[in-house]
Amino acid sequence: MSSRPEGQKEKNKGGRLIPALCNILGTLILLSVILSCLPPAMARIRGDQIYNVVSGSMEPGIPVGSAIYVQAVEPGIVEEGDVIAFYSGTSVIAHRVVRNQTVEGEFTTKGDANEQEDMNPVRYGELIGRVSCHYPVLGLLLEAYTSTLGKVYLICFAACGAMLNMLAGRLRNR
């Protein structure tokens, strides 16, 4: 027979629930921060560049807010139908190749949602690379992370997860 009153056992059971919930919530928060930072990190390890899609010229295939991953390629191996990213002034544009004119050293491109081909050809020197894949909505997340306020939120979110885990440890030790 235990020397502890019955009410004390129930209190201890309830006393373990809150630290467990804090630990689970803190761990989930930290995992979400880590997992949301993995896609751009892995892309950069592979040598890809990442861009956020801000216009609807490639919809519905590549919607606004997508992140496109661009691999550097030689202009001569780009084929009709490939989606390429290229510089147009200070902007980066991703459009589909209609023709690769190797003799002239330029591409004729067109946005999937556009009626006509682009007015200006894309010179080989303006090519960044071929779009290897895209992920809807990820571009919006990356845009938020690259802003100063987004970085502050990300750090605060991670700190909250760590503090919840520390709180769980303190509550368990009581």
Side-chain angles (χ1 to χ4, degrees), residues 137-152:
V137 184
L138 183 60
L140 295 174
L141 182 67
L142 296 177
E143 183 180 357
Y145 281 4
T146 56
S147 73
T148 304
L149 188 58
K151 289 175 186 172
V152 169

Side-chain angles (χ1 to χ4, degrees), residues 25-130:
L25 184 59
T27 302
L28 288 174
I29 289 172
L30 288 171
L31 278 174
S32 69
V33 169
I34 291 167
L35 290 175
S36 67
C37 293
L38 272 181
M42 295 306 293
R44 288 197 173 90
I45 288 170
R46 289 189 352 223
D48 290 350
Q49 294 184 42
I50 305 169
Y51 297 96
N52 179 26
V53 177
V54 296
S55 80
S57 67
M58 288 299 293
E59 287 189 330
I62 304 176
V64 172
S66 296
I68 56 171
Y69 287 51
V70 180
Q71 291 180 334
V73 294
E74 291 297 318
I77 66 166
V78 174
E79 299 176 359
E80 292 178 10
D82 286 347
V83 178
I84 60 169
F86 56 91
Y87 293 108
S88 177
T90 58
S91 300
V92 173
I93 297 176
H95 278 177
R96 193 168 307 279
V97 173
V98 176
R99 282 181 301 286
N100 183 350
Q101 298 147 302
T102 54
V103 174
E104 292 87 357
E106 60 188 28
F107 302 101
T108 302
T109 57
K110 177 183 172 299
D112 289 353
N114 297 345
E115 295 282 326
Q116 299 175 357
E117 296 174 352
D118 296 339
M119 288 178 32
N120 300 319
V122 178
R123 292 186 300 273
Y124 277 7
E126 298 168 328
L127 177 69
I128 298 169
R130 181 174 34 214

Side-chain angles (χ1 to χ4, degrees), residues 147-171:
S147 73
T148 304
L149 188 58
K151 289 175 186 172
V152 169
Y153 282 141
L154 188 65
I155 291 167
C156 289
F157 198 52
C160 286
M163 285 191 275
L164 279 169
N165 281 327
M166 290 189 300
L167 177 63
R170 289 200 172 213
L171 290 174

